[in-house]
Amino acid sequence: MPATARPNFTDYFMKIALSVRERANCRGRRVGAVLTLNDRIIATGYNGTPAGIKNCTEGGCYRCDNRDKKFKSGTAYDICICVHAEQNALLSAARFGIAVADATLYTTHQPCFGCAKELLQAKIAKVFFIEEWTHPAEVHDQYRSLLGGFKDGVHKLETVKLPE
């Protein structure tokens, strides 16, 4: 049997984030996130409604249920009851008393404005993502300023080597 090359940590953790997003129950974008510290997974998260609330895919979120009729993509996050993948990863770590300062986040989608603020406040050092988030043009400079606050940067991955 031929030996296969081991993936580097970045590809390895992003592949796990891609698997985690399969649990997402949002009617819009499905996102998965993995928090690591010292190359060890400390928490994962995917987007969807809070535990015990009817899933988004079952009509649990008014915003998501009416996204094509009443709400443009990228708007009305303030009334959406879905918890973002990045938030769920942070909250999972908090629930179990796991420190996240200086951790790295691997997420399938670039953090939105709100998640970027929360990640900075939690002292996440570095972010890797695959898909870009389109932010409103009028806050471009402010969003870029937020992303500049990460100690070790925010990095878009052009390719992730998926298993054959």
Side-chain angles (χ1 to χ4, degrees), residues 11-114:
D11 284 348
Y12 173 68
F13 293 130
M14 191 58 80
K15 287 177 196 175
I16 294 171
L18 287 163
S19 291
V20 169
R21 83 172 173 182
E22 292 180 24
R23 292 279 308 151
N25 64 35
C26 183
R27 295 181 81 170
R29 186 174 312 275
R30 294 164 54 115
V31 180
V34 174
L35 269 175
T36 68
L37 189 62
N38 300 322
D39 293 328
R40 299 288 182 254
I41 296 171
I42 58 173
T44 65
Y46 53 86
N47 57 326
T49 57
I53 303 295
K54 188 190 305 186
N55 285 332
C56 186
T57 53
E58 299 164 344
C61 178
Y62 178 78
R63 178 202 174 265
C64 293
D65 206 33
N66 291 281
R67 62 184 289 118
D68 297 327
K69 300 172 231 162
K70 296 184 180 186
F71 305 105
K72 290 187 336 185
S73 178
T75 65
Y77 287 131
D78 57 327
I79 63 164
C80 181
I81 65 168
C82 294
V83 182
H84 290 191
E86 302 90 337
Q87 293 170 319
N88 268 326
L90 288 174
L91 293 167
S92 179
R95 183 180 319 132
F96 296 106
I98 301 169
V100 298
D102 290 323
T104 298
L105 177 77
Y106 297 84
T107 180
T108 58
H109 200 67
Q110 185 176 10
C112 71
F113 207 92

Side-chain angles (χ1 to χ4, degrees), residues 5 11 67 99 114-115 123 146 148:
D11 284 348
R67 62 184 289 118
C115 286
K123 300 294 183 200
L146 272 178

